Amino acid sequence: MPTRYEPDSFESRWRQRWADAGLFRTRQDPGRQKFYGLDFFPYPSGAGLSVGHLRNYIPTDVLCRMKTMQGFNVLHPMGWDAFGLPAENEAISRQTKPGPMVREYADVYKRQMNLVGIGYDWDRELNSSDPSYYRWTQWIFLLLYERGLAYHGDYPANWCPVDKTVLANEEVEGGLCWRCGTPVEKKVLKQWFFRITEYAQRLIDDLDTIDWPEGIKMMQRNWIGRSDGVEFDWDVIEHPGAKFRVFTTRIDTVYGATFCVLAPEHPLVQTITTPQQKPEVDAYIARSKLLSETDRLATGREKTGVFTGAHAQNPFTKQPVPIFVADYVLMDYGTGAIMAVPAHDERDYDFAVRYDLPIVQVIKPSSGETPTLPFTLEDGELVSSGAHSGLRCADAKKKMAQELQAEGRGASRVNYRLRDWLISRQRYWGCPIPIVHCETCGIVPVPKDELPVLLPDVDHYQPTNTGESPLAGIEQFVLTSCPKCKGVAKRETDTMGGFACSSWYFFRFCDPHNAHAPFDSNLVKYWMPVDCYVGGAEHAVMHLLYARFWTKVLFDAGMVPFNEPFQVLRNQGALLASTPYRKPRENETLKTGEEGIQISFEEAKALPADQVFWRWARMSKSKGNVVTPDEGVARYGADALRVYELFEAPFEQTIQWSDERVMGAVRFLSRTFKLASEIRPSYDPDWRTAVQSAKLEKADRDMRCLTHNTILKLTDDIASFKFNTAVAAMMEFLNGIADYAKRSPNTAVISEAIETFILLLSPIAPHTADELWEMFGKEGFTLRQEWPAADDALLRSDTVTIVLQVNGKTRGNIEAPAGAERTHLEQLALNHEKVRQHVGQSAVKKVIVVPDKLVNVVAE
RNA sequence: GCCCGGGUGGCGAAAUGGUAAACGCAGGGGACUUAAAAUCCCCCGGGGCAACCCUUGCGGGUUCGAGUCCCGCCCCGGGCACCA
């Protein structure tokens, strides 16, 4: 029997046996509870996995393995987010076809996942670019269309000139394309949208019902951006009958509204601009059209605008105020027009200062201080506000909204920042949109029984720069007949963005081979919602928002009986690798945020040491700092890799790859083998009966106490994602058993300990657990064993350490029988030498006794 | 600027308001070995010969007792950022 951890000698053998036995095939016994553990749907990139990705997969696997042993029916599937931009771009640069390429890469991912013993049910493997899958993506598109939630329209959308496609708002980060970092441009194109805005309120409200990281919930709330305000009309003085609506959240400040601003695109601008001002206004509008999104968003940009020559009447003060056009007002939020209150709004203040407009303070802070303007807090009362003066801000808001409503001039109104989800992409590699454009019938959905609309297999699929998908150039695809009138018609040639495919895959896993429907409602009802969803935090407002939206649509359609797909969400921390950089040379410049030029490990070796510095960076192929699972397993073993990643730090924390620390995991597993081999000869498989009749000494009872406390600790820690302390508890357990083994251990007690140890180790280091299990003469797999149960009666030791304090300072401790009387403990404390020494001549004021814990003597 | 997380030994970290630093890494000393590796044993926050004293970013507070709770700051990481 081996006395140390030699992974090469047994790990691959167990993986083979697991596969042969179909160990991870989903079980659906009636009468058992279900558990659905899911990892984010990955795009299998050609770079393959790094040990960094395993921080996602290993913890979910540990949890699913424990749940299996606890008797749950566990669904733990994996599949491939194969459609979309990343796959297509990679295929273009490799001059190959995306379909076969992704399948090849997926096989690599699959092999690497298996290599570290992740227990996926591969019978349920999905590929979103497979017609048997995207047929149902199209089906759900049509469901949205039927329900009025998909529409086709002209909108100035975000266009990425490098990827040559439009992007959803969620895919634009600070004015840059989230994939390639190119500044996006506005381009007006006919686009497909999903009406996610209709679900805005539900998407906010239901966040309260799910167990997600607070940060992610907050990002979603911010992204949806609810704001409560009032919408009301302003009359244009020079044009009787002409009026415009403004939206404001601060109607209480309306007496300080000294001008109004219209967005450059506002339709009224043309009507009201005076001939005198027209040249200037037209020039301004022309200029603002030329501005890119990035320029318009640039922070600290000076506010600009021009006077239209027209005035509006402030409905509260009845005073005329000038109307400006300015690009700091956006046409697609609120009404595209605002009332400007420079005294109480920073943007309006900046504008007023620049154009020398009156600034009238109408809110007095409740602190009583004279505020520096702009004063934007709502903690105050109204002044110089006619009949409304003296009201507190909150009360004024309510009252003034009611008055506007009564006059028929306006109403309370809720606005959301969220925009509809732009789904069409002018790219080849995506799910075709199942729509036909007919000259007589217009937009016609492809009948559901004619799905899927197959993506043609072509050799040339490079994106065009025309705003049309390359599919538009493929006649066999485009030309079709209208499903309604049978006349000549053209297919929609845009494809769906990748996020459509990943918005429902978790349903498909419940019923992956269904040829008649996207899924069987009963199966989804059984497995869903997902009990634990694990992935990186970068999808906070993309995938996670879209998936929630689709789930609600399916709920409304009566297809699923719940509103939220992911009951529990957890984000794993990143794994960083030490990466070499050098100082820039002459004529080299650094981009902002860069500290140096990233170099290869070879270059780092070749350069003199003082020219190289090391920083922690995410593992990526381009940085050359990747450790692959293959390398990790070859060097240290799969179980050591698992133990290391679980133990290094809390699950959600970023960690730094360290060979030395992985060696710590190797040592732990080696000590495990050593101890197991020492105990093996005296192991008694019938310890359960023997332990009942045995006469146990205190050391024996303490050993059992540790065994049962460790069961409790592991069960709780794994369930609550505290894998680092779970591993630490196993190390303590091992040390405890080793110490006990050195004395004259009771055979039954040590047999119980080692057997329990092996089973508790199973989710964390499954190869090792199964190997030891077999060495102990057992049949089958540890995954098929029952998870140990802690015996409550054994959790408490019969003696406890009582801490003795004088005035809150620890002065010693005593051993006392558990459950000793308070008065008894008090006496023991007062008689203790150290305590008496520190109390000295002082009078004892009182004594605090915490049973089984501590005695604190309070003295003068 | 706003909103979330975090600041504890040389390092990663642990701690239901109850002995701060469990568990591990690195380091030091020793055993075994011809030697090295591996392994095993001991030490390992700071000060002090000791009794003891000090120590969880900083300053206050609550409490018999605070890393933990409350108030006010400082620093680091992440997200959002003209949304009226």
Side-chain angles (χ1 to χ4, degrees), chain A residues 93-140:
Chain A
S93 71
R94 281 204 34 198
Q95 307 190 0
T96 181
K97 288 192 194 182
M101 183 198 76
V102 175
R103 277 193 293 280
E104 184 190 312
Y105 291 170
D107 285 342
V108 174
Y109 265 50
K110 186 171 168 178
R111 187 183 57 72
Q112 290 177 316
M113 288 165 169
N114 286 333
L115 196 57
V116 287
I118 310 293
Y120 292 127
D121 176 0
W122 291 113
D123 290 353
R124 293 176 185 243
E125 181 177 357
L126 292 180
N127 179 323
S128 63
S129 68
D130 194 294
S132 67
Y133 180 89
Y134 71 69
R135 169 180 182 187
W136 303 110
T137 308
Q138 294 173 342
W139 190 96
I140 297 173

Side-chain angles (χ1 to χ4, degrees), chain A residues 287-475:
Chain A
R287 238 181 301 140
S288 72
K289 263 190 195 146
L290 284 177
L291 278 183
S292 74
E293 187 83 347
T294 359
D295 295 337
R296 236 177 122 160
L297 285 171
T299 40
R301 196 172 137 249
E302 234 184 316
K303 309 248 167 327
T304 60
V306 288
F307 180 43
T308 58
H311 297 79
Q313 190 188 46
N314 183 324
F316 285 82
T317 64
K318 310 292 179 199
Q319 294 301 306
V321 301
I323 304 171
F324 286 79
V325 176
D327 65 7
Y328 80 90
V329 173
L330 309 172
M331 190 59 218
D332 54 359
Y333 183 79
T335 58
I338 62 157
M339 64 174 208
V341 186
H344 304 290
D345 181 285
E346 274 176 38
R347 296 150 299 176
D348 299 344
Y349 183 84
D350 292 346
F351 193 86
V353 167
R354 176 164 176 157
Y355 293 101
D356 204 17
L357 296 160
I359 298 169
V360 180
Q361 185 191 334
V362 292
I363 304 293
K364 187 178 82 180
S366 35
S367 65
E369 287 163 25
T370 309
T372 40
L373 296 180
F375 175 75
T376 56
L377 301 180
E378 298 188 21
D379 181 24
E381 69 177 51
L382 277 63
V383 293
S384 315
S385 294
H388 297 92
S389 296
L391 288 173
R392 300 195 46 81
C393 290
D395 301 329
K397 278 186 177 182
K398 272 183 224 149
K399 186 153 189 278
M400 293 160 100
Q402 279 161 8
E403 287 170 14
L404 283 167
Q405 176 113 37
E407 275 173 56
R409 184 174 272 281
S412 291
R413 150 109 207 200
V414 178
N415 250 309
Y416 299 93
R417 256 186 49 162
L418 181 72
R419 312 290 157 78
D420 278 337
W421 170 12
L422 197 170
I423 190 59
S424 43
R425 297 290 179 276
Q426 291 67 47
R427 298 286 295 234
Y428 165 72
W429 189 241
C431 176
I433 293 174
I435 290 287
V436 163
H437 299 276
C438 169
E439 275 190 26
T440 39
C441 313
I443 290 174
V444 183
V446 174
K448 283 183 181 168
D449 56 14
E450 288 176 24
L451 298 179
V453 175
L454 283 173
L455 186 68
D457 182 11
V458 295
D459 293 327
H460 299 285
Y461 55 86
Q462 274 71 6
T464 70
N465 214 354
T466 59
E468 271 196 319
S469 143
L471 289 176
I474 303 170
E475 231 174 56

Side-chain angles (χ1 to χ4, degrees), chain A residues 472-488:
Chain A
I474 303 170
E475 231 174 56
Q476 315 89 286
F477 177 79
V478 176
L479 291 179
T480 185
S481 61
C482 171
K484 243 190 205 164
C485 70
K486 308 296 169 204
V488 175

